[in-house]
Amino acid sequence: MKTILRKAIINLKKGELIAFPTETVYGLGADAKNNEAINKIFSIKKRPRINPLICHFYNADKVKKEVIFNKNARILVSKFWPGPLTIILKKRKNSSISNLVTNGLDTLACRVPSNKIALYLLKKFNGVIAAPSANLSSKLTSTHKKHVLKSFGKNVLIIDGGPSKYGLESTVIDLTKKNPIIVRPGAIESERIKKILPNLKTMKLNNKKIISPGQLNKHYSPNIPLRINVKRIKIGEVLLNFGKNNLKSKIKQLNLSYSADLNEAANNLFRYLHILDNKRFKGIAVAPTTNKGIGKAINDRLKRASFNE
Ligand code: TXA
Ligand code: MG
């Protein structure tokens, strides 16, 4: 393990990419202060330039060097960092983060992960790692090393940290507006955040418009069609089930959680979608899943996965 971590640090310093585990999902990381390195992320992922990246820091003090903290930030950070929460704050005028990370925006999405390997890298690299999820743009998220390999082959150094703990991306909150607003539901339930920030708002998923930079509706998509909230399975479809019901596929089915446990479902979501995403099948039919707690993030991912252009 030590050798690959050493290689990863060298890569970061040289402006090369690395894929590394976080507690949410695998990230595709590069030196956030190096324009060329950031360009490589956008091109290998085929990611639209307007979709800004999240920066990963070793601790909150390092974050404060790049962005201006406010009261809500202090409250949230003391409770949820290190961990699966990303906060958007105003960038400092003298910030040394590459402008390509945010496509020239004056805000920056910041997160301090809790995964031990991620923290080790951040400490030894002694810098900031910009990292989107380690998948091709608009495709399924990677929660295992083998998913990253499917996206990028051997072109990127991949650090294997086993299956991701949460299996869903971080919750992203914009703290630059009058009220704090969740721009992407994720691994931390909005109910937990609302308890300490009662004026918390949530951005609605809009079918027509792009609702925030990079919040493209079509996202997290398998290569075959996906339908949600199904009542009946069509011929040729495989089934992604949830809880106990009478749904059945003649071909193949997986159950996110037989006991309708949402944390278990979140954890299985992308792993099972990767398994069911096979050109031999006509499509993936997904059973209704509970839309509360972490279920909101699960439904957000499924809804976007079901969009067709
Ligand atoms: O769990 C995670 O957040 C993972 C791991 C690797 O940390 N990262 C991740 O990054 O999911 P990505 O690039 O796949 O998603 C970042 C999201 C996008 O929806 C993007 O639009 C939003 O964060 N975002 C980033 N910077 C922003 C900004 N300045 N303003 C508004 N939204 C921003
Ligand atoms: Mg992503």
Side-chain angles (χ1 to χ4, degrees):
M1 186 49 118
K2 277 272 146 72
T3 321
I4 188 155
L5 292 176
R6 226 175 289 134
K7 264 195 199 153
I9 308 286
I10 293 170
N11 271 15
L12 288 169
K13 287 188 175 153
K14 283 200 310 201
E16 301 291 337
L17 305 181
I18 61 161
F20 66 104
T22 82
E23 70 279 17
T24 55
V25 303
Y26 276 75
L28 181 69
D31 180 353
K33 300 183 180 179
N34 179 330
N35 288 338
E36 258 175 67
I38 298 305
N39 268 329
K40 286 180 190 161
I41 293 185
F42 283 97
S43 50
I44 196 171
K45 264 185 74 98
K46 303 194 174 75
R47 181 173 174 117
R49 296 271 160 181
I50 53 154
N51 192 351
L53 309 176
I54 295 175
C55 283
H56 297 67
F57 297 81
Y58 181 61
N59 59 28
D61 282 342
K62 301 215 183 280
V63 180
K64 287 174 189 163
K65 291 198 173 123
E66 307 297 339
V67 293
I68 302 162
F69 257 52
N70 55 30
K71 191 172 166 212
N72 286 339
R74 280 188 287 277
I75 294 172
L76 286 182
V77 159
S78 65
K79 180 139 176 84
F80 295 112
W81 276 1
L85 176 79
T86 297
I87 56 174
I88 296 171
L89 289 167
K90 279 260 181 299
K91 220 161 112 173
R92 286 192 185 280
K93 288 254 156 28
N94 61 354
S95 162
S96 45
I97 303 293
S98 160
N99 272 324
L100 301 176
V101 167
T102 53
N103 190 39
L105 291 177
D106 63 350
T107 57
L108 188 69
C110 309
R111 135 169 161 77
V112 175
S114 62
N115 177 282
K116 287 219 166 65
I117 295 174
L119 282 173
Y120 179 89
L121 290 170
L122 285 161
K123 185 172 184 196
K124 293 285 177 192
F125 174 51
N126 193 22
V128 183
I129 302 178
S133 50
N135 52 271
L136 293 170
S137 181
S138 90
K139 295 299 179 191
L140 291 176
T141 301
S142 299
T143 59
H144 282 67
K145 179 186 174 181
K146 62 179 179 224
H147 303 157
V148 185
L149 263 174
K150 254 209 281 189
S151 271
F152 305 120
K154 297 231 159 79
N155 296 327
V156 176
L157 178 79
I158 309 172
I159 303 164
D160 190 354
S164 309
K165 180 176 163 200
Y166 290 96
L168 266 186
E169 293 86 347
S170 62
T171 304
V172 182
I173 304 192
D174 188 343
L175 297 177
T176 64
K177 309 273 160 32
K178 188 165 158 263
N179 291 315
I181 177 159
I182 295 195
V183 297
R184 181 182 68 184
I188 297 180
E189 299 92 322
S190 58
E191 291 85 346
R192 285 183 67 202
I193 300 167
K194 203 162 170 100
K195 260 192 205 145
I196 52 172
L197 295 185
N199 55 349
L200 180 72
K201 302 276 180 278
T202 302
M203 210 170 242
K204 291 274 170 299
L205 183 59
N206 185 311
N207 294 354
K208 298 272 180 320
K209 275 190 307 197
I210 292 173
I211 48 183
S212 100
Q215 283 290 313
L216 309 172
N217 282 332
K218 189 179 164 54
H219 221 116
Y220 315 107
S221 309
N223 293 311
I224 60 174
L226 179 143
R227 293 191 304 126
I228 53 174
N229 295 322
V230 300
K231 299 206 168 58
R232 210 174 53 77
I233 315 302
K234 293 181 184 165
I235 294 168
E237 277 184 334
V238 289
L239 167 64
L240 184 60
N241 210 347
F242 176 74
K244 292 195 179 64
N245 53 46
N246 295 322
L247 293 171
K248 250 191 185 74
S249 160
K250 293 214 168 90
I251 308 174
K252 188 177 176 75
Q253 53 199 9
L254 294 169
N255 198 316
L256 288 170
S257 169
Y258 287 101
S259 60
D261 177 320
L262 287 169
N263 287 315
E264 185 186 15
N267 204 270
N268 287 329
L269 180 67
F270 284 113
R271 188 160 63 91
Y272 285 0
L273 284 174
H274 274 281
I275 295 171
L276 297 177
D277 184 16
N278 189 313
K279 290 260 162 66
R280 284 189 294 131
F281 310 134
K282 268 229 170 89
I284 305 173
V286 186
T289 53
T290 319
N291 196 27
K292 57 175 198 228
I294 197 135
K296 285 186 196 152
I298 295 174
N299 276 292
D300 168 83
R301 304 303 187 269
L302 287 170
K303 232 183 235 169
R304 290 178 202 269
S306 72
F307 272 111
N308 39 33
E309 289 128 315

